[in-house]
Amino acid sequence: MIATTINVISELLWQFFLPLLILLGLFINAKMINNFTSLSKPDSSPWTFSKIKGALSISLASKVGTGAIIGVLAAMAQSSQNGSNGTGVGIVFWVLVGLFFLVPITYSEVLFTQICKQSPRDFIATYLNKKMATIYALGLVALYSFGFVGFQLTGVQTVIRYVSETYLDYSFTSIHALLFIVLPVVLCAAMVIITKSHQLFINTLSSLVFIIILSYLVFFLFFVYQTSDFITVYCQQIWSQVTNFTSVAIGLPVGLIIAFQRIIQISETSLGTSALSSSDRENSPRREALIQTISTLISIAIAVLITTYVFAYGQTFIDSVSLSGSSFERVQGYIFTVYSVTGYVGLIIVLLFFIVSGFTTILGSFHYVNTSLKLSENGRITAYLVLISLSGALSVTHFDIIFEASNLLMFIVGFINLCAMARFINNKLHYVKPDNTELSNNKFNNHKTINNA
C-alpha cells in the first residue's frame, strides 16, 4: 500500500510537470550559452592530469554503481509492461532523447555553483529561500542515504546470494539475508563512520572504482566481440519496440518519464551532487563543469548501454533470463548472462564491480548527510545510520518502496535545484563580477563554501 501510494503521487508529479522540467532545462541552458562569456573566462593554462583524475574519480565513484544496473533493469521491466511487451531495450532510445535535455544541466549546475563558490544548499537559499533549501537538503539526504543506498544493498545481496546458490548450494531466506548480509554491511558502515575513517575508505575505494570501471569497459568490449552477431538484432529490438503502435501511442510520455528518472538516478544530473563532487575547485569553473559532464556521459553509457545489451542478449538466448521476475531474479539473470558468454573472468569483474561500487556509494552517502544537514555531528551520524538501516531492511523484501520513493525524491530535489538555477541565470547575472571570482552584491558573499567530499 505504501509503495502504491508513493507511486501514484510520483507518477502524477512526473506526468503533469515533465513538460515544465523540459522547458526549465532548455531555458537554463539557452541562457547559459547566450551569457557564457560574461559568466566565466576561458582557462588557457595547461590541463593537469592529477586534477582531472581527482575530480573525475570522485564523481564516477559516486555515480557508477550497482544501482545503475538495478535501476536500468527495473526501467526495462517497467517499459516492457507499458505497452511494448518486448525486451525493454526501447528505453535506450528514450534515454538518448532525454540526454539532450538533461546532460547539459550538469554543465550548468556545476558552472553556476563554481562561479558563486557555494554549495547547492546555499545556492538554493540565495536564489529561492531558506525553506526551499532545507527541503532540498532533506530530500537529497533521504534520496541518497535511503534510496540510492537501497539500490546498492540490493546489489550486494544479489552478488552474495548468487555465489551462495550457485557454488555453495545454499539459499538465503529473507530473514537470513537481513541478518547475515544486510546487517553486517550496515554495521561495517557504522564502524567506519563512528571512527571517522570514512574519508580514508572513500579515497581508497574511489581509486579502486576507477580501475574497476576500466576493467568493466574491457569486459564489455570482450562481451560484444563474443556476441558480435547480436549487435544487429539488438538495434532491431530497440527500433521495433519504439515504433510498435502501442508503444508509440503511450511510449512518448511513459518512455520520457522512465528515461528522465533513470538518467537522473544514474548520472544524478540536476540533483546538485555533481557540484559537490567539484567542491575542491582544483580546476577553473569551465573545466570543472566539463569534467562533470564527461563523468555524466560515462556513467550513463556504462549503465544503459552495457546493461541493456547484456540483458537483451540473455533474454534472447537464455531461457532463465527474464524481466518478469523480482529485482533479485533480474540481476541474477544479468550475472548469469555475463558468465555464460565471458566465463569466470567476466564474472569476477562484474562481481567486483557490484561490491566495490556498492560500498563506495554506501559510505559516500554520508558525505551528503555531512554537508547538507545543519545538525550536530552526532545528529548527522544518527540520521545516516537510521536511513541506511531502514533502507537495508526494506531492500530485502520491499525493494519497490525504495524504487518508488527514489523516483519521488528525485523529482522534488531536481525541481527545486532547477528552479534556483533558472532564477540565477535569469535575474542575477549582473551580480557576477567581470573577473568571475565572486558576486558583487555583498548580501551574496556570506555563504560558506563546501568542504571536500
Short mmCIF file of all heavy atoms in Angstrom, two decimals, residues 256-304:
data_model
loop_
_atom_site.label_atom_id
_atom_site.label_comp_id
_atom_site.label_asym_id
_atom_site.label_seq_id
_atom_site.Cartn_x
_atom_site.Cartn_y
_atom_site.Cartn_z
N LEU A 256 9.59 8.86 -21.91
CA LEU A 256 10.37 10.01 -21.45
C LEU A 256 10.42 10.07 -19.93
O LEU A 256 11.47 10.39 -19.35
CB LEU A 256 9.76 11.31 -21.99
CG LEU A 256 10.13 11.66 -23.43
CD1 LEU A 256 9.44 12.95 -23.85
CD2 LEU A 256 11.64 11.80 -23.59
N ILE A 257 9.30 9.75 -19.28
CA ILE A 257 9.29 9.76 -17.81
C ILE A 257 10.29 8.74 -17.27
O ILE A 257 11.11 9.04 -16.39
CB ILE A 257 7.87 9.48 -17.27
CG1 ILE A 257 6.96 10.68 -17.55
CG2 ILE A 257 7.91 9.18 -15.77
CD1 ILE A 257 5.50 10.42 -17.24
N ILE A 258 10.22 7.51 -17.79
CA ILE A 258 11.13 6.46 -17.34
C ILE A 258 12.57 6.86 -17.63
O ILE A 258 13.47 6.68 -16.79
CB ILE A 258 10.79 5.12 -18.03
CG1 ILE A 258 9.41 4.63 -17.60
CG2 ILE A 258 11.84 4.05 -17.68
CD1 ILE A 258 8.93 3.40 -18.36
N ALA A 259 12.80 7.39 -18.84
CA ALA A 259 14.16 7.79 -19.22
C ALA A 259 14.69 8.90 -18.34
O ALA A 259 15.83 8.85 -17.87
CB ALA A 259 14.18 8.22 -20.69
N PHE A 260 13.87 9.92 -18.08
CA PHE A 260 14.31 11.03 -17.23
C PHE A 260 14.64 10.53 -15.83
O PHE A 260 15.63 10.94 -15.22
CB PHE A 260 13.22 12.11 -17.17
CG PHE A 260 13.33 13.15 -18.24
CD1 PHE A 260 13.40 12.77 -19.57
CD2 PHE A 260 13.38 14.49 -17.94
CE1 PHE A 260 13.50 13.72 -20.58
CE2 PHE A 260 13.48 15.45 -18.93
CZ PHE A 260 13.54 15.07 -20.26
N GLN A 261 13.79 9.66 -15.30
CA GLN A 261 14.03 9.13 -13.95
C GLN A 261 15.34 8.36 -13.89
O GLN A 261 16.12 8.51 -12.95
CB GLN A 261 12.87 8.21 -13.55
CG GLN A 261 11.57 8.95 -13.28
CD GLN A 261 10.40 8.02 -13.11
OE1 GLN A 261 10.47 6.83 -13.45
NE2 GLN A 261 9.29 8.53 -12.59
N ARG A 262 15.60 7.53 -14.90
CA ARG A 262 16.81 6.73 -14.88
C ARG A 262 18.05 7.57 -15.16
O ARG A 262 19.11 7.32 -14.60
CB ARG A 262 16.70 5.59 -15.89
CG ARG A 262 15.60 4.59 -15.61
CD ARG A 262 15.82 3.71 -14.39
NE ARG A 262 15.81 4.37 -13.09
CZ ARG A 262 14.71 4.74 -12.44
NH1 ARG A 262 13.53 4.55 -12.95
NH2 ARG A 262 14.81 5.29 -11.25
N ILE A 263 17.95 8.57 -16.04
CA ILE A 263 19.09 9.44 -16.29
C ILE A 263 19.47 10.17 -15.00
O ILE A 263 20.65 10.28 -14.64
CB ILE A 263 18.80 10.45 -17.41
CG1 ILE A 263 18.69 9.74 -18.77
CG2 ILE A 263 19.90 11.51 -17.50
CD1 ILE A 263 18.22 10.64 -19.89
N ILE A 264 18.47 10.68 -14.30
CA ILE A 264 18.74 11.39 -13.05
C ILE A 264 19.31 10.44 -12.01
O ILE A 264 20.25 10.78 -11.28
CB ILE A 264 17.45 12.06 -12.53
CG1 ILE A 264 17.02 13.18 -13.49
CG2 ILE A 264 17.66 12.63 -11.13
CD1 ILE A 264 15.67 13.80 -13.16
N GLN A 265 18.74 9.23 -11.92
CA GLN A 265 19.25 8.25 -10.95
C GLN A 265 20.68 7.84 -11.26
O GLN A 265 21.53 7.73 -10.38
CB GLN A 265 18.36 7.03 -10.92
CG GLN A 265 18.77 6.00 -9.87
CD GLN A 265 18.88 4.60 -10.44
OE1 GLN A 265 18.12 4.22 -11.31
NE2 GLN A 265 19.84 3.84 -9.97
N ILE A 266 20.97 7.62 -12.56
CA ILE A 266 22.29 7.14 -12.96
C ILE A 266 23.33 8.24 -12.85
O ILE A 266 24.41 8.05 -12.28
CB ILE A 266 22.23 6.60 -14.40
CG1 ILE A 266 21.35 5.36 -14.49
CG2 ILE A 266 23.64 6.28 -14.91
CD1 ILE A 266 20.96 5.01 -15.90
N SER A 267 23.03 9.40 -13.43
CA SER A 267 24.04 10.46 -13.54
C SER A 267 23.91 11.52 -12.47
O SER A 267 24.80 12.34 -12.29
CB SER A 267 23.94 11.12 -14.92
OG SER A 267 22.72 11.82 -15.04
N GLU A 268 22.75 11.53 -11.77
CA GLU A 268 22.47 12.49 -10.70
C GLU A 268 22.44 13.93 -11.21
O GLU A 268 22.61 14.87 -10.44
CB GLU A 268 23.50 12.34 -9.56
CG GLU A 268 23.49 10.95 -8.96
CD GLU A 268 24.62 10.72 -7.96
OE1 GLU A 268 25.17 11.70 -7.46
OE2 GLU A 268 24.93 9.55 -7.69
N THR A 269 22.23 14.09 -12.51
CA THR A 269 22.12 15.43 -13.06
C THR A 269 20.90 16.14 -12.49
O THR A 269 19.86 15.51 -12.26
CB THR A 269 22.05 15.38 -14.60
OG1 THR A 269 22.10 16.70 -15.13
CG2 THR A 269 20.79 14.71 -15.07
N SER A 270 21.03 17.40 -12.23
CA SER A 270 20.02 18.30 -11.65
C SER A 270 19.87 18.14 -10.14
O SER A 270 19.17 18.93 -9.50
CB SER A 270 18.64 18.11 -12.32
OG SER A 270 17.94 17.00 -11.79
N LEU A 271 20.55 17.15 -9.55
CA LEU A 271 20.42 16.93 -8.10
C LEU A 271 21.41 17.74 -7.28
O LEU A 271 21.26 17.86 -6.06
CB LEU A 271 20.60 15.44 -7.78
CG LEU A 271 19.61 14.47 -8.42
CD1 LEU A 271 19.91 13.04 -7.98
CD2 LEU A 271 18.17 14.84 -8.09
N GLY A 272 22.45 18.27 -7.92
CA GLY A 272 23.45 19.05 -7.20
C GLY A 272 24.66 18.27 -6.75
O GLY A 272 25.63 18.84 -6.25
N THR A 273 24.64 16.94 -6.90
CA THR A 273 25.76 16.13 -6.43
C THR A 273 27.00 16.29 -7.32
O THR A 273 28.12 16.09 -6.85
CB THR A 273 25.38 14.64 -6.37
OG1 THR A 273 24.87 14.23 -7.65
CG2 THR A 273 24.31 14.41 -5.32
N SER A 274 26.81 16.63 -8.58
CA SER A 274 27.97 16.89 -9.44
C SER A 274 28.73 18.12 -8.94
O SER A 274 29.96 18.16 -8.97
CB SER A 274 27.53 17.11 -10.89
OG SER A 274 27.01 15.92 -11.45
N ALA A 275 27.98 19.11 -8.47
CA ALA A 275 28.62 20.30 -7.90
C ALA A 275 29.38 19.94 -6.63
O ALA A 275 30.46 20.47 -6.36
CB ALA A 275 27.56 21.35 -7.62
N LEU A 276 28.82 19.04 -5.83
CA LEU A 276 29.50 18.61 -4.61
C LEU A 276 30.79 17.85 -4.94
O LEU A 276 31.77 17.94 -4.21
CB LEU A 276 28.57 17.72 -3.78
CG LEU A 276 27.38 18.41 -3.12
CD1 LEU A 276 26.46 17.39 -2.49
CD2 LEU A 276 27.84 19.42 -2.08
N SER A 277 30.79 17.09 -6.04
CA SER A 277 31.98 16.35 -6.43
C SER A 277 33.11 17.30 -6.86
O SER A 277 34.28 16.92 -6.85
CB SER A 277 31.66 15.41 -7.59
OG SER A 277 30.72 14.43 -7.19
N SER A 278 32.77 18.53 -7.24
CA SER A 278 33.77 19.52 -7.65
C SER A 278 34.03 20.55 -6.57
O SER A 278 34.47 21.65 -6.84
CB SER A 278 33.31 20.22 -8.94
OG SER A 278 33.43 19.38 -10.05
N SER A 279 33.72 20.18 -5.33
CA SER A 279 33.83 21.15 -4.24
C SER A 279 35.25 21.60 -3.96
O SER A 279 35.47 22.62 -3.33
CB SER A 279 33.21 20.56 -2.97
OG SER A 279 33.85 19.35 -2.63
N ASP A 280 36.26 20.82 -4.39
CA ASP A 280 37.66 21.22 -4.18
C ASP A 280 38.06 22.42 -5.02
O ASP A 280 38.98 23.14 -4.68
CB ASP A 280 38.60 20.06 -4.53
CG ASP A 280 39.05 19.34 -3.29
OD1 ASP A 280 38.75 19.83 -2.19
OD2 ASP A 280 39.71 18.29 -3.41
N ARG A 281 37.38 22.59 -6.17
CA ARG A 281 37.67 23.68 -7.09
C ARG A 281 39.13 23.70 -7.51
O ARG A 281 39.80 24.73 -7.48
CB ARG A 281 37.28 25.02 -6.47
CG ARG A 281 35.79 25.14 -6.19
CD ARG A 281 35.38 26.52 -5.73
NE ARG A 281 33.95 26.60 -5.57
CZ ARG A 281 33.31 26.27 -4.46
NH1 ARG A 281 33.99 25.87 -3.42
NH2 ARG A 281 32.01 26.35 -4.38
N GLU A 282 39.66 22.54 -7.87
CA GLU A 282 41.04 22.47 -8.32
C GLU A 282 41.20 23.02 -9.74
O GLU A 282 42.29 23.45 -10.11
CB GLU A 282 41.52 21.02 -8.29
CG GLU A 282 41.65 20.45 -6.90
CD GLU A 282 42.23 19.05 -6.91
OE1 GLU A 282 41.78 18.21 -7.71
OE2 GLU A 282 43.15 18.80 -6.11
N ASN A 283 40.12 22.99 -10.51
CA ASN A 283 40.16 23.49 -11.87
C ASN A 283 39.29 24.75 -11.98
O ASN A 283 38.56 25.10 -11.06
CB ASN A 283 39.65 22.42 -12.84
CG ASN A 283 40.45 21.13 -12.76
OD1 ASN A 283 41.56 21.03 -13.26
ND2 ASN A 283 39.88 20.12 -12.09
N SER A 284 39.36 25.41 -13.12
CA SER A 284 38.53 26.58 -13.36
C SER A 284 37.07 26.15 -13.47
O SER A 284 36.78 24.97 -13.69
CB SER A 284 38.96 27.26 -14.66
OG SER A 284 38.73 26.41 -15.77
N PRO A 285 36.12 27.09 -13.29
CA PRO A 285 34.70 26.72 -13.38
C PRO A 285 34.34 25.99 -14.67
O PRO A 285 33.60 25.00 -14.64
CB PRO A 285 33.99 28.07 -13.29
CG PRO A 285 34.90 28.91 -12.45
CD PRO A 285 36.29 28.49 -12.86
N ARG A 286 34.85 26.45 -15.80
CA ARG A 286 34.53 25.80 -17.07
C ARG A 286 35.07 24.37 -17.11
O ARG A 286 34.40 23.46 -17.60
CB ARG A 286 35.10 26.60 -18.25
CG ARG A 286 34.38 27.92 -18.50
CD ARG A 286 34.85 28.52 -19.81
NE ARG A 286 34.26 29.82 -20.06
CZ ARG A 286 34.41 30.51 -21.18
NH1 ARG A 286 35.17 30.02 -22.16
NH2 ARG A 286 33.84 31.70 -21.34
N ARG A 287 36.27 24.19 -16.62
CA ARG A 287 36.87 22.85 -16.66
C ARG A 287 36.17 21.90 -15.70
O ARG A 287 35.97 20.73 -16.03
CB ARG A 287 38.37 22.94 -16.36
CG ARG A 287 39.15 23.56 -17.51
CD ARG A 287 40.64 23.48 -17.28
NE ARG A 287 41.37 24.03 -18.41
CZ ARG A 287 42.69 24.13 -18.47
NH1 ARG A 287 43.44 23.70 -17.45
NH2 ARG A 287 43.27 24.65 -19.53
N GLU A 288 35.84 22.39 -14.51
CA GLU A 288 35.12 21.53 -13.57
C GLU A 288 33.77 21.11 -14.16
O GLU A 288 33.35 19.96 -14.03
CB GLU A 288 34.91 22.26 -12.24
CG GLU A 288 36.15 22.41 -11.38
CD GLU A 288 36.61 21.10 -10.78
OE1 GLU A 288 35.88 20.08 -10.88
OE2 GLU A 288 37.69 21.06 -10.20
N ALA A 289 33.10 22.06 -14.81
CA ALA A 289 31.81 21.75 -15.42
C ALA A 289 31.97 20.72 -16.54
O ALA A 289 31.16 19.79 -16.68
CB ALA A 289 31.17 23.02 -15.97
N LEU A 290 33.03 20.87 -17.33
CA LEU A 290 33.28 19.92 -18.43
C LEU A 290 33.60 18.53 -17.90
O LEU A 290 33.11 17.52 -18.41
CB LEU A 290 34.42 20.43 -19.30
CG LEU A 290 34.81 19.53 -20.49
CD1 LEU A 290 33.63 19.34 -21.43
CD2 LEU A 290 36.01 20.13 -21.24
N ILE A 291 34.42 18.46 -16.85
CA ILE A 291 34.80 17.17 -16.26
C ILE A 291 33.56 16.45 -15.73
O ILE A 291 33.38 15.24 -15.96
CB ILE A 291 35.83 17.37 -15.12
CG1 ILE A 291 37.18 17.81 -15.69
CG2 ILE A 291 35.99 16.08 -14.31
CD1 ILE A 291 38.17 18.26 -14.63
N GLN A 292 32.69 17.18 -15.06
CA GLN A 292 31.48 16.56 -14.52
C GLN A 292 30.52 16.14 -15.63
O GLN A 292 29.80 15.14 -15.49
CB GLN A 292 30.78 17.51 -13.55
CG GLN A 292 31.58 17.81 -12.29
CD GLN A 292 31.96 16.55 -11.54
OE1 GLN A 292 31.18 15.62 -11.44
NE2 GLN A 292 33.17 16.50 -11.00
N THR A 293 30.50 16.88 -16.73
CA THR A 293 29.66 16.49 -17.86
C THR A 293 30.18 15.20 -18.50
O THR A 293 29.40 14.31 -18.86
CB THR A 293 29.62 17.61 -18.92
OG1 THR A 293 29.15 18.82 -18.30
CG2 THR A 293 28.70 17.24 -20.07
N ILE A 294 31.50 15.10 -18.63
CA ILE A 294 32.11 13.86 -19.15
C ILE A 294 31.78 12.70 -18.23
O ILE A 294 31.44 11.60 -18.69
CB ILE A 294 33.63 14.04 -19.29
CG1 ILE A 294 33.96 15.05 -20.40
CG2 ILE A 294 34.30 12.69 -19.60
CD1 ILE A 294 35.42 15.43 -20.48
N SER A 295 31.86 12.93 -16.92
CA SER A 295 31.52 11.89 -15.95
C SER A 295 30.07 11.44 -16.12
O SER A 295 29.76 10.24 -16.04
CB SER A 295 31.74 12.41 -14.53
OG SER A 295 31.22 11.53 -13.57
N THR A 296 29.18 12.39 -16.36
CA THR A 296 27.77 12.08 -16.57
C THR A 296 27.57 11.18 -17.78
O THR A 296 26.85 10.18 -17.73
CB THR A 296 26.95 13.37 -16.74
OG1 THR A 296 27.00 14.12 -15.53
CG2 THR A 296 25.50 13.07 -17.08
N LEU A 297 28.23 11.52 -18.88
CA LEU A 297 28.10 10.73 -20.11
C LEU A 297 28.68 9.33 -19.92
O LEU A 297 28.10 8.34 -20.40
CB LEU A 297 28.82 11.44 -21.26
CG LEU A 297 28.15 12.74 -21.75
CD1 LEU A 297 29.05 13.45 -22.74
CD2 LEU A 297 26.80 12.44 -22.38
N ILE A 298 29.81 9.23 -19.22
CA ILE A 298 30.42 7.91 -18.97
C ILE A 298 29.49 7.04 -18.13
O ILE A 298 29.26 5.87 -18.43
CB ILE A 298 31.78 8.06 -18.28
CG1 ILE A 298 32.80 8.71 -19.23
CG2 ILE A 298 32.31 6.70 -17.81
CD1 ILE A 298 34.13 9.03 -18.58
N SER A 299 28.95 7.62 -17.06
CA SER A 299 28.09 6.84 -16.16
C SER A 299 26.82 6.38 -16.87
O SER A 299 26.37 5.25 -16.66
CB SER A 299 27.74 7.67 -14.92
OG SER A 299 27.05 8.86 -15.27
N ILE A 300 26.24 7.23 -17.72
CA ILE A 300 25.03 6.83 -18.45
C ILE A 300 25.35 5.74 -19.46
O ILE A 300 24.60 4.76 -19.61
CB ILE A 300 24.40 8.05 -19.15
CG1 ILE A 300 23.85 9.02 -18.10
CG2 ILE A 300 23.28 7.62 -20.10
CD1 ILE A 300 23.34 10.33 -18.67
N ALA A 301 26.48 5.90 -20.17
CA ALA A 301 26.87 4.90 -21.17
C ALA A 301 27.11 3.55 -20.51
O ALA A 301 26.65 2.51 -21.01
CB ALA A 301 28.12 5.36 -21.91
N ILE A 302 27.81 3.55 -19.38
CA ILE A 302 28.11 2.31 -18.67
C ILE A 302 26.81 1.64 -18.21
O ILE A 302 26.62 0.43 -18.38
CB ILE A 302 29.03 2.58 -17.47
CG1 ILE A 302 30.45 2.92 -17.96
CG2 ILE A 302 29.08 1.36 -16.53
CD1 ILE A 302 31.39 3.32 -16.86
N ALA A 303 25.92 2.43 -17.65
CA ALA A 303 24.70 1.86 -17.08
C ALA A 303 23.73 1.40 -18.16
O ALA A 303 23.28 0.25 -18.15
CB ALA A 303 24.02 2.89 -16.18
N VAL A 304 23.41 2.29 -19.08
CA VAL A 304 22.33 1.99 -20.04
C VAL A 304 22.80 1.06 -21.15
O VAL A 304 22.17 0.03 -21.41
CB VAL A 304 21.77 3.30 -20.63
CG1 VAL A 304 20.71 2.99 -21.69
CG2 VAL A 304 21.19 4.17 -19.54
#
